Amino acid sequence: MLEPGRIASAIAADKYSRRKRQARVGQKYYDGEHDILQSRIFYINKEGNLVEDLTKSNIRTPHPFFHEIAEQEVAYILSNGIQFKADSEELQEYLKPYFGDTFIGQIKEVITDTVVRGFGYVYWYRDLKGITRFCHADSMGIVEVKDGELTDTVNDYIIRYYPVAVKDGKTAVRVEVWDKDMTWYYIQSGGTLVPDPNVRINPCPHILYRDGEDYYYEECDRIPFLRLDNNRKQQSGVKQIKPIIDDYDLMDCGLSNNLQDINEGIYVVRGFKGQDYDELLMNVKSRKVVGVGEKGDVDIKTIDIPYEARMAKMQEDEKNIYRTALAFNASQTGDGNITNIILKSRYTLLDMKSRKLIWSIKEFLRVLLQIVIDEINAAYETMYSVEDVTVAIDPVVPTDEKEDAEIRKLEAETVRERAGALLDAEAVIGTDALLKELCKVLGLDYDEAKDKETMSSEIELIREMLDGQETEGSAAGAAWS
């Protein structure tokens, strides 16, 4: 059991750790809270002091490239869902209550955390029916703690902390300390960590049963938390592209400021009646009037905005953002001739990046699958293993529907021509050989076909289908079967 003092120290150290600082940067840029929002304009006044210039335009518009890139990667990975394919129908039925839409939704949140922050967590629990459920856990509020020097692979404790509402509209921090069997609950308010008085059984076992007045609990094999890493260093996907995004923000906001201030130009004033330059600028901005003496004058010198240079730099930054992030740039137009080959080539970088994370996700899901398999074996007295289930994550690249239809039509015509050629050669190759080759072309089961009463009747059926309709190869097989 961890002492309260050590728990508080671990939480404080975690908040200011390098890993969590980088994770917060990723979350900020995902939320559109860029460094440009802190931009300020300064100048040196006549006393030689550096002061903020509140008269100049200071447009601060963040451009949420990272939000798009992160959502794009998650959506691409899950474009075809996550499928758990069991070798037996019985096991497939047992798996259905565990890996439905709710599970996919929770895993989506874990993957989003992983891409945005560099790491994500899932935890599991037993519901009232005794079925294990998996839930996303906020990775910013989780601390891994090792107790002792010899625990190199297994974390002895997980500390989870998050804000909760208390009386009079105030908030406190709820702290949970998990080991493989128990959870301790605390409340931290004003820096003091005390056991949560609202929890009746504290510490509480992870799996607890009640029979009348008696309580029973099960021991667990591990702490019910699992981490998914974005990469070996647990770094957010924003790390490589943040400087380029900041440069894009500066270029775009600088151009907006130039356009906002263009009506001012440079004022050459002679015989100004006011006291200082601040008053002059305020009069120009608010009243469009400048007071001068008898021999005074105002001359406005216009300036050229470096529009083309800024636009060229922004376009280069945008290209580099998507290239460095290994992402798909949806604003690319090319020559307007979008084919499946072009679409596939544009998704190459995104696919390459996603495949690396998919491998880690599969390893991650196999751990969760092992928990489910163990529960199924205990409940139904079976002997299934993880090897009996295949975890499939196969992203889908969008394609041109018209081109796909043309390809299917061409394939169907090819099948039709090959089948027709075989039918014409029946007298040469014989009925049995003909049926065997036709089954290969049409995707039919030869053993099933030869078990029919007469093979010639099946061949005549195929001949009638080919002569009587414009069919695709797959449609012919479906109709025959």
Side-chain angles (χ1 to χ4, degrees):
M1 175 181 174
L2 291 178
E3 297 297 329
R6 187 177 176 189
I7 297 171
S9 298
I11 293 175
D14 176 73
K15 287 181 178 179
Y16 299 101
S17 66
R18 181 179 181 181
R19 189 175 72 122
K20 287 295 178 68
R21 290 201 305 269
Q22 292 177 345
R24 279 192 287 271
V25 172
Q27 187 65 53
K28 284 176 58 180
Y29 272 68
Y30 178 78
D31 295 335
E33 300 174 4
H34 297 191
D35 288 352
I36 192 68
L37 295 175
Q38 310 302 322
S39 175
R40 300 164 66 188
I41 300 175
F42 292 87
Y43 71 96
I44 299 177
N45 62 14
K46 59 184 178 181
E47 286 80 20
N49 298 323
L50 187 66
V51 296
E52 185 174 2
D53 191 347
L54 300 177
T55 62
K56 288 287 186 181
S57 298
N58 187 17
I59 296 173
R60 293 171 285 193
T61 306
H63 298 79
F65 286 105
F66 183 57
H67 186 278
E68 176 193 348
I69 290 169
E71 288 291 322
Q72 181 186 104
E73 182 177 358
V74 176
Y76 180 72
I77 290 173
L78 298 177
S79 58
N80 200 28
I82 300 175
Q83 299 174 0
F84 294 84
K85 302 177 181 178
D87 294 340
S88 70
E89 293 184 3
E90 181 184 52
L91 179 55
Q92 193 71 55
E93 288 297 317
Y94 289 153
L95 293 176
K96 283 184 179 180
Y98 296 93
F99 302 120
D101 292 339
T102 301
F103 173 81
I104 300 298
Q106 294 298 318
I107 294 300
K108 177 180 181 295
E109 294 298 322
V110 176
I111 298 174
T112 301
D113 269 6
T114 302
V115 173
V116 172
R117 301 171 178 176
F119 49 90
Y121 284 88
V122 68
Y123 73 94
W124 53 93
Y125 61 94
R126 292 270 184 91
D127 65 10
L128 296 177
K129 296 180 180 180
I131 296 178
T132 296
R133 300 299 183 189
F134 300 97
C135 188
H136 159 256
D138 185 0
S139 58
M140 295 304 295
I142 293 179
V143 189
E144 301 177 6
V145 179
K146 295 181 182 297
D147 191 17
E149 299 296 331
L150 301 179
T151 53
D152 296 329
T153 58
V154 179
N155 293 297
D156 293 319
Y157 295 97
I158 287 286
I159 301 175
R160 181 185 179 203
Y161 60 94
Y162 49 93
V164 292
V166 292
K167 294 180 179 179
D168 302 326
K170 298 180 180 179
T171 60
V173 176
R174 178 82 174 275
V175 179
E176 303 169 1
V177 181
W178 301 63
D179 69 3
K180 70 181 186 65
D181 293 316
M182 298 283 186
T183 305
W184 290 261
Y185 297 91
Y186 298 89
I187 288 291
Q188 187 178 36
S189 180
T192 303
L193 196 66
V194 297
D196 190 342
N198 298 315
V199 179
R200 186 172 59 177
I201 302 176
N202 192 5
C204 181
H206 302 327
I207 303 175
L208 183 65
Y209 301 99
R210 182 177 179 179
D211 184 8
E213 298 297 325
D214 298 324
Y215 290 91
Y216 305 92
Y217 73 95
E218 288 185 16
E219 293 185 352
C220 302
D221 296 331
R222 58 181 297 161
I223 301 176
F225 281 83
L226 187 64
R227 189 185 71 232
L228 174 64
D229 295 336
N230 189 39
N231 46 52
R232 182 166 51 87
K233 295 184 178 180
Q234 301 177 23
Q235 292 178 341
S236 166
V238 81
K239 182 175 175 58
Q240 291 81 11
I241 59 175
K242 178 182 179 300
I244 315 176
I245 294 176
D246 290 339
D247 187 66
Y248 186 98
D249 287 342
L250 285 172
M251 290 296 106
D252 185 72
C253 293
L255 178 59
S256 297
N257 290 332
N258 291 154
L259 294 172
Q260 185 74 16
D261 293 337
I262 190 173
N263 62 326
E264 299 176 6
I266 298 176
Y267 290 82
V268 180
V269 181
R270 293 180 290 273
F272 176 55
K273 288 184 176 182
Q275 300 296 322
D276 55 31
Y277 293 117
D278 291 337
E279 182 183 346
L280 168 64
L281 291 174
M282 189 61 65
N283 289 340
V284 170
K285 273 186 170 292
S286 61
R287 302 165 63 185
K288 307 297 182 183
V289 174
V290 177
V292 297
E294 292 183 3
K295 298 181 179 181
D297 191 16
V298 177
D299 186 14
I300 302 177
K301 303 290 185 180
T302 59
I303 56 175
D304 294 328
I305 296 177
Y307 174 79
E308 294 182 358
R310 286 188 181 274
M311 290 300 298
K313 186 65 172 69
M314 289 165 58
Q315 292 172 2
E316 188 67 21
D317 281 343
E318 180 177 348
K319 181 173 67 175
N320 289 333
I321 286 170
Y322 286 101
R323 179 186 298 165
T324 305
L326 304 179
F328 171 72
N329 188 355
S331 65
Q332 285 181 320
T333 56
D335 58 2
N337 184 25
I338 305 299
T339 65
N340 286 343
I341 294 177
I342 293 176
L343 281 171
K344 187 174 182 179
S345 67
R346 290 184 179 179
Y347 273 86
T348 298
L349 292 178
L350 175 60
D351 185 75
M352 181 173 63
K353 176 177 65 173
S354 299
R355 293 291 174 183
K356 293 176 64 177
L357 184 56
I358 286 173
W359 183 88
S360 298
I361 294 172
K362 286 184 176 181
E363 292 297 311
F364 174 83
L365 292 176
R366 286 191 184 98
V367 177
L368 307 185
L369 178 61
Q370 181 66 67
I371 296 169
V372 171
I373 292 294
D374 291 342
E375 186 171 303
I376 290 174
N377 287 336
Y380 300 100
E381 297 182 352
T382 53
M383 295 291 290
Y384 295 117
S385 67
V386 175
E387 286 70 27
D388 296 328
V389 182
T390 301
V391 181
I393 304 177
D394 300 310
V396 177
V397 176
T399 57
D400 179 19
E401 293 183 1
K402 181 179 179 181
E403 185 175 348
D404 289 342
E406 292 174 352
I407 292 173
R408 289 194 297 270
K409 181 180 179 181
L410 180 61
E411 291 174 348
E413 291 175 351
T414 302
V415 170
R416 182 182 178 82
E417 290 174 2
R418 291 178 62 187
L422 288 170
L423 290 170
D424 292 340
E426 180 180 5
V428 178
I429 64 177
T431 303
D432 183 65
L434 173 62
L435 183 59
K436 183 180 293 185
E437 293 301 318
L438 282 173
C439 288
K440 290 180 181 179
V441 172
L442 298 176
L444 306 177
D445 190 316
Y446 170 71
D447 293 331
E448 182 181 345
K450 73 178 183 179
D451 288 340
K452 302 293 183 180
E453 293 182 0
T454 60
M455 291 183 289
S456 59
S457 64
E458 305 306 320
I459 293 175
E460 287 301 319
L461 176 61
I462 294 173
R463 191 191 301 275
E464 290 175 4
M465 286 194 306
L466 293 173
D467 292 340
Q469 60 180 337
E470 290 291 333
T471 178
E472 299 180 4
S474 59
W480 184 88
S481 59

